[in-house]
PDB file of all heavy atoms in Angstrom:
ATOM      1  N   ALA Q   1      99.539  95.463 116.517  1.00 94.00           N
ATOM      2  CA  ALA Q   1      99.563  94.103 115.953  1.00 94.00           C
ATOM      3  C   ALA Q   1      98.894  93.125 116.920  1.00 94.00           C
ATOM      4  O   ALA Q   1      98.114  92.249 116.507  1.00 94.00           O
ATOM      5  CB  ALA Q   1     100.998  93.686 115.670  1.00 94.00           C
ATOM      6  N   ALA Q   2      99.182  93.289 118.216  1.00 93.00           N
ATOM      7  CA  ALA Q   2      98.563  92.409 119.214  1.00 93.00           C
ATOM      8  C   ALA Q   2      97.055  92.646 119.289  1.00 93.00           C
ATOM      9  O   ALA Q   2      96.272  91.695 119.416  1.00 93.00           O
ATOM     10  CB  ALA Q   2      99.214  92.638 120.576  1.00 93.00           C
ATOM     11  N   ARG Q   3      96.636  93.907 119.208  1.00 91.00           N
ATOM     12  CA  ARG Q   3      95.201  94.206 119.259  1.00 91.00           C
ATOM     13  C   ARG Q   3      94.476  93.624 118.051  1.00 91.00           C
ATOM     14  O   ARG Q   3      93.374  93.078 118.175  1.00 91.00           O
ATOM     15  CB  ARG Q   3      94.983  95.726 119.323  1.00 91.00           C
ATOM     16  CG  ARG Q   3      95.316  96.332 120.678  1.00 91.00           C
ATOM     17  CD  ARG Q   3      95.149  97.853 120.661  1.00 91.00           C
ATOM     18  NE  ARG Q   3      93.788  98.264 120.319  1.00 91.00           N
ATOM     19  CZ  ARG Q   3      92.787  98.356 121.184  1.00 91.00           C
ATOM     20  NH1 ARG Q   3      92.997  98.075 122.461  1.00 91.00           N
ATOM     21  NH2 ARG Q   3      91.590  98.743 120.789  1.00 91.00           N
ATOM     22  N   GLN Q   4      95.080  93.723 116.887  1.00 92.00           N
ATOM     23  CA  GLN Q   4      94.438  93.182 115.691  1.00 92.00           C
ATOM     24  C   GLN Q   4      94.289  91.667 115.776  1.00 92.00           C
ATOM     25  O   GLN Q   4      93.291  91.108 115.301  1.00 92.00           O
ATOM     26  CB  GLN Q   4      95.235  93.596 114.454  1.00 92.00           C
ATOM     27  CG  GLN Q   4      95.072  95.082 114.127  1.00 92.00           C
ATOM     28  CD  GLN Q   4      95.940  95.536 112.966  1.00 92.00           C
ATOM     29  OE1 GLN Q   4      97.005  94.981 112.738  1.00 92.00           O
ATOM     30  NE2 GLN Q   4      95.485  96.550 112.243  1.00 92.00           N
ATOM     31  N   GLN Q   5      95.262  90.987 116.392  1.00 92.00           N
ATOM     32  CA  GLN Q   5      95.131  89.539 116.574  1.00 92.00           C
ATOM     33  C   GLN Q   5      93.976  89.192 117.499  1.00 92.00           C
ATOM     34  O   GLN Q   5      93.407  88.099 117.413  1.00 92.00           O
ATOM     35  CB  GLN Q   5      96.435  88.965 117.139  1.00 92.00           C
ATOM     36  CG  GLN Q   5      97.586  88.949 116.140  1.00 92.00           C
ATOM     37  CD  GLN Q   5      98.867  88.406 116.746  1.00 92.00           C
ATOM     38  OE1 GLN Q   5      98.930  88.140 117.957  1.00 92.00           O
ATOM     39  NE2 GLN Q   5      99.891  88.230 115.925  1.00 92.00           N
ATOM     40  N   GLN Q   6      93.615  90.130 118.379  1.00 90.00           N
ATOM     41  CA  GLN Q   6      92.493  89.924 119.291  1.00 90.00           C
ATOM     42  C   GLN Q   6      91.175  90.446 118.710  1.00 90.00           C
ATOM     43  O   GLN Q   6      90.156  90.456 119.400  1.00 90.00           O
ATOM     44  CB  GLN Q   6      92.769  90.631 120.617  1.00 90.00           C
ATOM     45  CG  GLN Q   6      94.017  90.142 121.341  1.00 90.00           C
ATOM     46  CD  GLN Q   6      94.434  91.061 122.477  1.00 90.00           C
ATOM     47  OE1 GLN Q   6      93.635  91.861 122.975  1.00 90.00           O
ATOM     48  NE2 GLN Q   6      95.677  90.963 122.893  1.00 90.00           N
ATOM     49  N   GLY Q   7      91.213  90.905 117.465  1.00 88.00           N
ATOM     50  CA  GLY Q   7      90.020  91.445 116.838  1.00 88.00           C
ATOM     51  C   GLY Q   7      89.689  92.852 117.266  1.00 88.00           C
ATOM     52  O   GLY Q   7      88.542  93.303 117.097  1.00 88.00           O
ATOM     53  N   LEU Q   8      90.669  93.571 117.826  1.00 86.00           N
ATOM     54  CA  LEU Q   8      90.457  94.941 118.281  1.00 86.00           C
ATOM     55  C   LEU Q   8      91.031  95.932 117.282  1.00 86.00           C
ATOM     56  O   LEU Q   8      91.986  95.622 116.563  1.00 86.00           O
ATOM     57  CB  LEU Q   8      91.112  95.156 119.646  1.00 86.00           C
ATOM     58  CG  LEU Q   8      90.627  94.257 120.781  1.00 86.00           C
ATOM     59  CD1 LEU Q   8      91.484  94.461 122.029  1.00 86.00           C
ATOM     60  CD2 LEU Q   8      89.160  94.529 121.091  1.00 86.00           C
ATOM     61  N   ALA Q   9      90.471  97.125 117.267  1.00 86.00           N
ATOM     62  CA  ALA Q   9      90.931  98.159 116.350  1.00 86.00           C
ATOM     63  C   ALA Q   9      92.278  98.706 116.809  1.00 86.00           C
ATOM     64  O   ALA Q   9      92.572  98.742 118.009  1.00 86.00           O
ATOM     65  CB  ALA Q   9      89.912  99.288 116.287  1.00 86.00           C
ATOM     66  N   PRO Q  10      93.124  99.141 115.870  1.00 90.00           N
ATOM     67  CA  PRO Q  10      94.374  99.795 116.253  1.00 90.00           C
ATOM     68  C   PRO Q  10      94.102 101.121 116.947  1.00 90.00           C
ATOM     69  O   PRO Q  10      92.967 101.625 116.947  1.00 90.00           O
ATOM     70  CB  PRO Q  10      95.105  99.986 114.925  1.00 90.00           C
ATOM     71  CG  PRO Q  10      94.017 100.005 113.896  1.00 90.00           C
ATOM     72  CD  PRO Q  10      92.950  99.081 114.406  1.00 90.00           C
ATOM     73  N   LEU Q  11      95.151 101.693 117.520  1.00 91.00           N
ATOM     74  CA  LEU Q  11      95.029 102.954 118.259  1.00 91.00           C
ATOM     75  C   LEU Q  11      95.874 104.015 117.562  1.00 91.00           C
ATOM     76  O   LEU Q  11      97.036 104.245 117.921  1.00 91.00           O
ATOM     77  CB  LEU Q  11      95.499 102.776 119.703  1.00 91.00           C
ATOM     78  CG  LEU Q  11      94.701 101.786 120.559  1.00 91.00           C
ATOM     79  CD1 LEU Q  11      95.369 101.592 121.915  1.00 91.00           C
ATOM     80  CD2 LEU Q  11      93.262 102.245 120.732  1.00 91.00           C
ATOM     81  N   PRO Q  12      95.318 104.699 116.560  1.00 92.00           N
ATOM     82  CA  PRO Q  12      96.083 105.762 115.893  1.00 92.00           C
ATOM     83  C   PRO Q  12      96.285 106.943 116.826  1.00 92.00           C
ATOM     84  O   PRO Q  12      95.476 107.202 117.725  1.00 92.00           O
ATOM     85  CB  PRO Q  12      95.198 106.134 114.698  1.00 92.00           C
ATOM     86  CG  PRO Q  12      93.822 105.743 115.119  1.00 92.00           C
ATOM     87  CD  PRO Q  12      93.972 104.545 116.001  1.00 92.00           C
ATOM     88  N   PHE Q  13      97.376 107.656 116.611  1.00 95.00           N
ATOM     89  CA  PHE Q  13      97.697 108.773 117.497  1.00 95.00           C
ATOM     90  C   PHE Q  13      98.488 109.816 116.733  1.00 95.00           C
ATOM     91  O   PHE Q  13      98.977 109.578 115.623  1.00 95.00           O
ATOM     92  CB  PHE Q  13      98.505 108.289 118.707  1.00 95.00           C
ATOM     93  CG  PHE Q  13      99.844 107.705 118.364  1.00 95.00           C
ATOM     94  CD1 PHE Q  13     100.998 108.474 118.415  1.00 95.00           C
ATOM     95  CD2 PHE Q  13      99.950 106.379 117.983  1.00 95.00           C
ATOM     96  CE1 PHE Q  13     102.236 107.937 118.092  1.00 95.00           C
ATOM     97  CE2 PHE Q  13     101.184 105.826 117.659  1.00 95.00           C
ATOM     98  CZ  PHE Q  13     102.325 106.601 117.707  1.00 95.00           C
ATOM     99  N   GLY Q  14      98.609 110.990 117.328  1.00 95.00           N
ATOM    100  CA  GLY Q  14      99.438 112.058 116.788  1.00 95.00           C
ATOM    101  C   GLY Q  14     100.372 112.578 117.857  1.00 95.00           C
ATOM    102  O   GLY Q  14     100.033 112.570 119.046  1.00 95.00           O
ATOM    103  N   VAL Q  15     101.565 113.017 117.432  1.00 97.00           N
ATOM    104  CA  VAL Q  15     102.564 113.558 118.354  1.00 97.00           C
ATOM    105  C   VAL Q  15     103.137 114.833 117.741  1.00 97.00           C
ATOM    106  O   VAL Q  15     103.444 114.866 116.546  1.00 97.00           O
ATOM    107  CB  VAL Q  15     103.714 112.562 118.599  1.00 97.00           C
ATOM    108  CG1 VAL Q  15     104.721 113.157 119.589  1.00 97.00           C
ATOM    109  CG2 VAL Q  15     103.198 111.245 119.116  1.00 97.00           C
ATOM    110  N   ALA Q  16     103.296 115.859 118.559  1.00 97.00           N
ATOM    111  CA  ALA Q  16     103.941 117.094 118.121  1.00 97.00           C
ATOM    112  C   ALA Q  16     105.094 117.424 119.049  1.00 97.00           C
ATOM    113  O   ALA Q  16     105.025 117.172 120.262  1.00 97.00           O
ATOM    114  CB  ALA Q  16     102.944 118.242 118.096  1.00 97.00           C
ATOM    115  N   LEU Q  17     106.154 118.000 118.468  1.00 98.00           N
ATOM    116  CA  LEU Q  17     107.321 118.424 119.235  1.00 98.00           C
ATOM    117  C   LEU Q  17     107.577 119.899 118.990  1.00 98.00           C
ATOM    118  O   LEU Q  17     107.458 120.381 117.860  1.00 98.00           O
ATOM    119  CB  LEU Q  17     108.565 117.624 118.821  1.00 98.00           C
ATOM    120  CG  LEU Q  17     108.540 116.108 119.026  1.00 98.00           C
ATOM    121  CD1 LEU Q  17     109.846 115.496 118.532  1.00 98.00           C
ATOM    122  CD2 LEU Q  17     108.306 115.760 120.487  1.00 98.00           C
ATOM    123  N   HIS Q  18     107.945 120.616 120.052  1.00 97.00           N
ATOM    124  CA  HIS Q  18     108.261 122.034 119.949  1.00 97.00           C
ATOM    125  C   HIS Q  18     109.334 122.354 120.983  1.00 97.00           C
ATOM    126  O   HIS Q  18     109.524 121.612 121.964  1.00 97.00           O
ATOM    127  CB  HIS Q  18     107.004 122.882 120.177  1.00 97.00           C
ATOM    128  CG  HIS Q  18     107.229 124.353 120.075  1.00 97.00           C
ATOM    129  ND1 HIS Q  18     107.896 124.947 119.027  1.00 97.00           N
ATOM    130  CD2 HIS Q  18     106.887 125.377 120.933  1.00 97.00           C
ATOM    131  CE1 HIS Q  18     107.943 126.243 119.212  1.00 97.00           C
ATOM    132  NE2 HIS Q  18     107.350 126.532 120.354  1.00 97.00           N
ATOM    133  N   LEU Q  19     110.038 123.432 120.785  1.00 97.00           N
ATOM    134  CA  LEU Q  19     111.070 123.884 121.711  1.00 97.00           C
ATOM    135  C   LEU Q  19     110.707 125.273 122.202  1.00 97.00           C
ATOM    136  O   LEU Q  19     110.453 126.176 121.405  1.00 97.00           O
ATOM    137  CB  LEU Q  19     112.432 123.918 121.009  1.00 97.00           C
ATOM    138  CG  LEU Q  19     113.615 124.456 121.819  1.00 97.00           C
ATOM    139  CD1 LEU Q  19     113.955 123.508 122.973  1.00 97.00           C
ATOM    140  CD2 LEU Q  19     114.825 124.655 120.906  1.00 97.00           C
ATOM    141  N   GLY Q  20     110.663 125.457 123.531  1.00 95.00           N
ATOM    142  CA  GLY Q  20     110.312 126.775 124.054  1.00 95.00           C
ATOM    143  C   GLY Q  20     110.261 126.780 125.562  1.00 95.00           C
ATOM    144  O   GLY Q  20     110.671 125.823 126.232  1.00 95.00           O
ATOM    145  N   ASP Q  21     109.760 127.871 126.107  1.00 94.00           N
ATOM    146  CA  ASP Q  21     109.661 128.047 127.552  1.00 94.00           C
ATOM    147  C   ASP Q  21     108.245 127.757 128.017  1.00 94.00           C
ATOM    148  O   ASP Q  21     107.268 128.147 127.362  1.00 94.00           O
ATOM    149  CB  ASP Q  21     110.002 129.483 127.949  1.00 94.00           C
ATOM    150  CG  ASP Q  21     111.474 129.807 127.722  1.00 94.00           C
ATOM    151  OD1 ASP Q  21     112.288 128.855 127.710  1.00 94.00           O
ATOM    152  OD2 ASP Q  21     111.794 130.999 127.549  1.00 94.00           O
ATOM    153  N   ILE Q  22     108.130 127.082 129.162  1.00 92.00           N
ATOM    154  CA  ILE Q  22     106.827 126.899 129.791  1.00 92.00           C
ATOM    155  C   ILE Q  22     106.905 127.426 131.215  1.00 92.00           C
ATOM    156  O   ILE Q  22     107.972 127.441 131.835  1.00 92.00           O
ATOM    157  CB  ILE Q  22     106.382 125.424 129.804  1.00 92.00           C
ATOM    158  CG1 ILE Q  22     107.285 124.593 130.729  1.00 92.00           C
ATOM    159  CG2 ILE Q  22     106.358 124.843 128.401  1.00 92.00           C
ATOM    160  CD1 ILE Q  22     106.732 123.222 131.026  1.00 92.00           C
ATOM    161  N   LEU Q  23     105.769 127.857 131.727  1.00 89.00           N
ATOM    162  CA  LEU Q  23     105.649 128.206 133.137  1.00 89.00           C
ATOM    163  C   LEU Q  23     104.957 127.039 133.818  1.00 89.00           C
ATOM    164  O   LEU Q  23     103.829 126.674 133.455  1.00 89.00           O
ATOM    165  CB  LEU Q  23     104.846 129.488 133.335  1.00 89.00           C
ATOM    166  CG  LEU Q  23     104.623 129.881 134.795  1.00 89.00           C
ATOM    167  CD1 LEU Q  23     105.949 130.182 135.493  1.00 89.00           C
ATOM    168  CD2 LEU Q  23     103.690 131.080 134.900  1.00 89.00           C
ATOM    169  N   TRP Q  24     105.651 126.424 134.784  1.00 83.00           N
ATOM    170  CA  TRP Q  24     105.130 125.249 135.473  1.00 83.00           C
ATOM    171  C   TRP Q  24     104.946 125.616 136.939  1.00 83.00           C
ATOM    172  O   TRP Q  24     105.901 125.938 137.635  1.00 83.00           O
ATOM    173  CB  TRP Q  24     106.135 124.102 135.335  1.00 83.00           C
ATOM    174  CG  TRP Q  24     105.772 122.814 136.010  1.00 83.00           C
ATOM    175  CD1 TRP Q  24     106.462 122.200 137.009  1.00 83.00           C
ATOM    176  CD2 TRP Q  24     104.657 121.983 135.723  1.00 83.00           C
ATOM    177  NE1 TRP Q  24     105.838 121.028 137.368  1.00 83.00           N
ATOM    178  CE2 TRP Q  24     104.724 120.872 136.594  1.00 83.00           C
ATOM    179  CE3 TRP Q  24     103.587 122.069 134.829  1.00 83.00           C
ATOM    180  CZ2 TRP Q  24     103.783 119.851 136.584  1.00 83.00           C
ATOM    181  CZ3 TRP Q  24     102.642 121.058 134.815  1.00 83.00           C
ATOM    182  CH2 TRP Q  24     102.745 119.961 135.681  1.00 83.00           C
ATOM    183  N   GLY Q  25     103.688 125.639 137.394  1.00 79.00           N
ATOM    184  CA  GLY Q  25     103.494 126.074 138.762  1.00 79.00           C
ATOM    185  C   GLY Q  25     102.106 125.809 139.288  1.00 79.00           C
ATOM    186  O   GLY Q  25     101.266 125.175 138.633  1.00 79.00           O
ATOM    187  N   ASN Q  26     101.863 126.295 140.507  1.00 78.00           N
ATOM    188  CA  ASN Q  26     100.594 126.094 141.211  1.00 78.00           C
ATOM    189  C   ASN Q  26      99.528 127.042 140.680  1.00 78.00           C
ATOM    190  O   ASN Q  26      99.688 128.265 140.716  1.00 78.00           O
ATOM    191  CB  ASN Q  26     100.790 126.367 142.708  1.00 78.00           C
ATOM    192  CG  ASN Q  26     101.440 125.213 143.420  1.00 78.00           C
ATOM    193  OD1 ASN Q  26     101.138 124.063 143.143  1.00 78.00           O
ATOM    194  ND2 ASN Q  26     102.344 125.513 144.337  1.00 78.00           N
ATOM    195  N   ILE Q  27      98.446 126.450 140.229  1.00 79.00           N
ATOM    196  CA  ILE Q  27      97.309 127.234 139.748  1.00 79.00           C
ATOM    197  C   ILE Q  27      96.041 126.564 140.265  1.00 79.00           C
ATOM    198  O   ILE Q  27      95.972 125.332 140.334  1.00 79.00           O
ATOM    199  CB  ILE Q  27      97.282 127.298 138.204  1.00 79.00           C
ATOM    200  CG1 ILE Q  27      98.514 128.047 137.690  1.00 79.00           C
ATOM    201  CG2 ILE Q  27      96.008 127.962 137.690  1.00 79.00           C
ATOM    202  CD1 ILE Q  27      98.649 128.054 136.193  1.00 79.00           C
ATOM    203  N   GLY Q  28      95.033 127.353 140.640  1.00 79.00           N
ATOM    204  CA  GLY Q  28      93.785 126.762 141.071  1.00 79.00           C
ATOM    205  C   GLY Q  28      93.058 127.639 142.055  1.00 79.00           C
ATOM    206  O   GLY Q  28      93.294 128.848 142.156  1.00 79.00           O
ATOM    207  N   ALA Q  29      92.151 127.010 142.820  1.00 81.00           N
ATOM    208  CA  ALA Q  29      91.406 127.720 143.848  1.00 81.00           C
ATOM    209  C   ALA Q  29      92.279 127.872 145.088  1.00 81.00           C
ATOM    210  O   ALA Q  29      93.339 127.257 145.204  1.00 81.00           O
ATOM    211  CB  ALA Q  29      90.117 126.963 144.182  1.00 81.00           C
ATOM    212  N   ALA Q  30      91.814 128.663 146.018  1.00 75.00           N
ATOM    213  CA  ALA Q  30      92.616 128.946 147.203  1.00 75.00           C
ATOM    214  C   ALA Q  30      92.953 127.680 147.974  1.00 75.00           C
ATOM    215  O   ALA Q  30      94.029 127.561 148.550  1.00 75.00           O
ATOM    216  CB  ALA Q  30      91.872 129.938 148.091  1.00 75.00           C
ATOM    217  N   ASP Q  31      92.022 126.709 147.996  1.00 75.00           N
ATOM    218  CA  ASP Q  31      92.243 125.500 148.791  1.00 75.00           C
ATOM    219  C   ASP Q  31      92.320 124.223 147.944  1.00 75.00           C
ATOM    220  O   ASP Q  31      92.242 123.122 148.475  1.00 75.00           O
ATOM    221  CB  ASP Q  31      91.137 125.350 149.841  1.00 75.00           C
ATOM    222  CG  ASP Q  31      89.755 125.280 149.220  1.00 75.00           C
ATOM    223  OD1 ASP Q  31      89.642 125.508 147.995  1.00 75.00           O
ATOM    224  OD2 ASP Q  31      88.790 125.002 149.945  1.00 75.00           O
ATOM    225  N   ARG Q  32      92.439 124.365 146.632  1.00 78.00           N
ATOM    226  CA  ARG Q  32      92.568 123.182 145.767  1.00 78.00           C
ATOM    227  C   ARG Q  32      93.454 123.548 144.585  1.00 78.00           C
ATOM    228  O   ARG Q  32      93.032 124.253 143.669  1.00 78.00           O
ATOM    229  CB  ARG Q  32      91.192 122.704 145.264  1.00 78.00           C
ATOM    230  CG  ARG Q  32      91.239 121.577 144.229  1.00 78.00           C
ATOM    231  CD  ARG Q  32      91.910 120.320 144.780  1.00 78.00           C
ATOM    232  NE  ARG Q  32      91.851 119.228 143.820  1.00 78.00           N
ATOM    233  CZ  ARG Q  32      92.817 118.983 142.899  1.00 78.00           C
ATOM    234  NH1 ARG Q  32      93.863 119.782 142.827  1.00 78.00           N
ATOM    235  NH2 ARG Q  32      92.691 117.981 142.074  1.00 78.00           N
ATOM    236  N   LEU Q  33      94.710 123.114 144.632  1.00 73.00           N
ATOM    237  CA  LEU Q  33      95.697 123.514 143.644  1.00 73.00           C
ATOM    238  C   LEU Q  33      96.051 122.360 142.726  1.00 73.00           C
ATOM    239  O   LEU Q  33      95.858 121.190 143.044  1.00 73.00           O
ATOM    240  CB  LEU Q  33      96.967 124.013 144.343  1.00 73.00           C
ATOM    241  CG  LEU Q  33      96.818 125.206 145.289  1.00 73.00           C
ATOM    242  CD1 LEU Q  33      98.143 125.501 145.975  1.00 73.00           C
ATOM    243  CD2 LEU Q  33      96.315 126.422 144.539  1.00 73.00           C
ATOM    244  N   ASP Q  34      96.600 122.707 141.572  1.00 76.00           N
ATOM    245  CA  ASP Q  34      97.126 121.713 140.641  1.00 76.00           C
ATOM    246  C   ASP Q  34      98.370 122.309 140.001  1.00 76.00           C
ATOM    247  O   ASP Q  34      98.475 123.527 139.833  1.00 76.00           O
ATOM    248  CB  ASP Q  34      96.090 121.381 139.561  1.00 76.00           C
ATOM    249  CG  ASP Q  34      96.480 120.172 138.735  1.00 76.00           C
ATOM    250  OD1 ASP Q  34      97.405 119.431 139.156  1.00 76.00           O
ATOM    251  OD2 ASP Q  34      95.866 119.959 137.677  1.00 76.00           O
ATOM    252  N   PHE Q  35      99.317 121.450 139.656  1.00 76.00           N
ATOM    253  CA  PHE Q  35     100.464 121.907 138.884  1.00 76.00           C
ATOM    254  C   PHE Q  35     100.066 121.908 137.416  1.00 76.00           C
ATOM    255  O   PHE Q  35      99.600 120.905 136.881  1.00 76.00           O
ATOM    256  CB  PHE Q  35     101.671 120.994 139.116  1.00 76.00           C
ATOM    257  CG  PHE Q  35     102.402 121.295 140.381  1.00 76.00           C
ATOM    258  CD1 PHE Q  35     102.117 120.611 141.538  1.00 76.00           C
ATOM    259  CD2 PHE Q  35     103.365 122.289 140.412  1.00 76.00           C
ATOM    260  CE1 PHE Q  35     102.787 120.895 142.719  1.00 76.00           C
ATOM    261  CE2 PHE Q  35     104.044 122.587 141.583  1.00 76.00           C
ATOM    262  CZ  PHE Q  35     103.754 121.885 142.742  1.00 76.00           C
ATOM    263  N   THR Q  36     100.263 123.034 136.769  1.00 81.00           N
ATOM    264  CA  THR Q  36      99.807 123.225 135.402  1.00 81.00           C
ATOM    265  C   THR Q  36     100.899 123.892 134.581  1.00 81.00           C
ATOM    266  O   THR Q  36     101.631 124.746 135.086  1.00 81.00           O
ATOM    267  CB  THR Q  36      98.534 124.105 135.370  1.00 81.00           C
ATOM    268  OG1 THR Q  36      97.522 123.487 136.160  1.00 81.00           O
ATOM    269  CG2 THR Q  36      98.021 124.275 133.953  1.00 81.00           C
TER     270      THR Q  36
END
């Protein structure tokens, strides 16, 4: 609503929900890691 008052387009989005197990850990190169 605020964006439209400024003449800007709205921001449509999608959301999904699921229940399950994830593996959360260090993955990457030997000297550059990320949590994934």
